[in-house]
Amino acid sequence: MVRDMSKTNQQLLKDSIEVYLSSLKYLDNFVSEPATKYGLSFEQYLILHTIAERDHVSLMDIASERKVTRSAISRQIKVLLQHDYIFQKPAESDRRRLYLHLTPSGEKAEKKVNDLITKRFDNWISRYGEDKVRDIIAFIKDFASHEMTK
C-alpha cells in the first residue's frame, strides 16, 4: 500500500515518475528521430541495418533473433518493400526461403540513418564519458534481467 511507504521511498517513486515523464521518453526520440527523416520507424531501421551488415538474412532469422513473431517482422518488411528499401530473393538451395537485400535507396537510407545515430551517440559519449555510458547500459541490462522476467 502506498500509504505505508516511507517518505524516502515515496520521494523516490515521485522522482522516478518525473524522470520517466521528462527524460526516458526523450531517449526513444533520441534514437528514433534520425530514422523518421527517411519514413522509417526505429525497428524498420534496425532491420535495414541487419540486412546491410549480413549476407543471407531472412525474415525468420530476424524474427528469431529479436524474439518476436514472424508477423511482427513481416509488417515491418512490408513497409520496407513499399519504400523500395529492400527486395527479396529466393535462396539457391531452397527457393521457398527468401533472403532480404537492400536496394540502392535502402543502402543510402541505412547509411545516412546509421551516420546520424552514430554521431548522436558519439556526442552522448563525449558529453557524459564512456564510463558513465557503460554504467547506464549495465544498469538497464540488470534492471531488464530482473524485472522483465516477472
Side-chain angles (χ1 to χ4, degrees):
M1 181 177 249
V2 173
R3 287 185 208 106
D4 293 339
M5 291 177 74
S6 71
K7 291 266 187 214
T8 301
N9 286 0
Q10 286 178 5
Q11 186 60 48
L12 285 172
L13 174 60
K14 186 177 178 180
D15 291 347
S16 66
I17 291 169
E18 180 60 31
V19 165
Y20 172 75
L21 292 174
S22 65
S23 304
L24 291 179
K25 287 182 178 182
Y26 167 75
L27 280 176
D28 182 43
N29 291 337
F30 173 86
V31 170
S32 64
E33 191 265 333
T36 61
K37 292 180 179 181
Y38 293 88
L40 298 170
S41 68
F42 188 63
E43 291 80 13
Q44 291 159 354
Y45 159 72
L46 290 176
I47 292 169
L48 276 185
H49 188 68
T50 298
I51 297 167
E53 296 223 314
R54 293 189 7 220
D55 291 329
H56 307 297
V57 65
S58 71
L59 183 153
M60 287 303 296
D61 296 332
I62 295 170
S64 175
E65 290 166 13
R66 301 237 163 87
K67 297 175 179 63
V68 297
T69 64
R70 182 184 185 281
S71 62
I73 297 299
S74 185
R75 286 189 295 273
Q76 305 298 337
I77 296 293
K78 184 177 178 181
V79 172
L80 296 172
L81 287 165
Q82 289 170 343
H83 278 35
D84 191 36
Y85 285 157
I86 65 169
F87 66 95
Q88 299 179 42
K89 185 177 177 184
E92 295 289 326
S93 59
D94 181 356
R95 308 286 296 160
R96 294 170 297 173
R97 186 170 172 87
L98 296 175
Y99 288 127
L100 304 169
H101 302 275
L102 297 182
T103 64
S105 61
E107 287 178 21
K108 182 179 177 182
E110 188 280 331
K111 181 176 179 355
K112 290 199 178 241
V113 174
N114 188 56
D115 290 348
L116 288 169
I117 289 171
T118 300
K119 183 178 179 185
R120 280 182 158 205
F121 196 72
D122 286 347
N123 288 338
W124 197 41
I125 292 171
S126 294
R127 185 175 306 126
Y128 300 106
E130 188 177 326
D131 289 342
K132 190 171 236 176
V133 171
R134 285 185 192 280
D135 289 345
I136 291 168
I137 291 169
F139 171 76
I140 292 170
K141 284 181 177 180
D142 183 56
F143 181 85
S145 74
H146 288 91
E147 299 303 322
M148 294 176 69
T149 57
K150 291 182 179 180

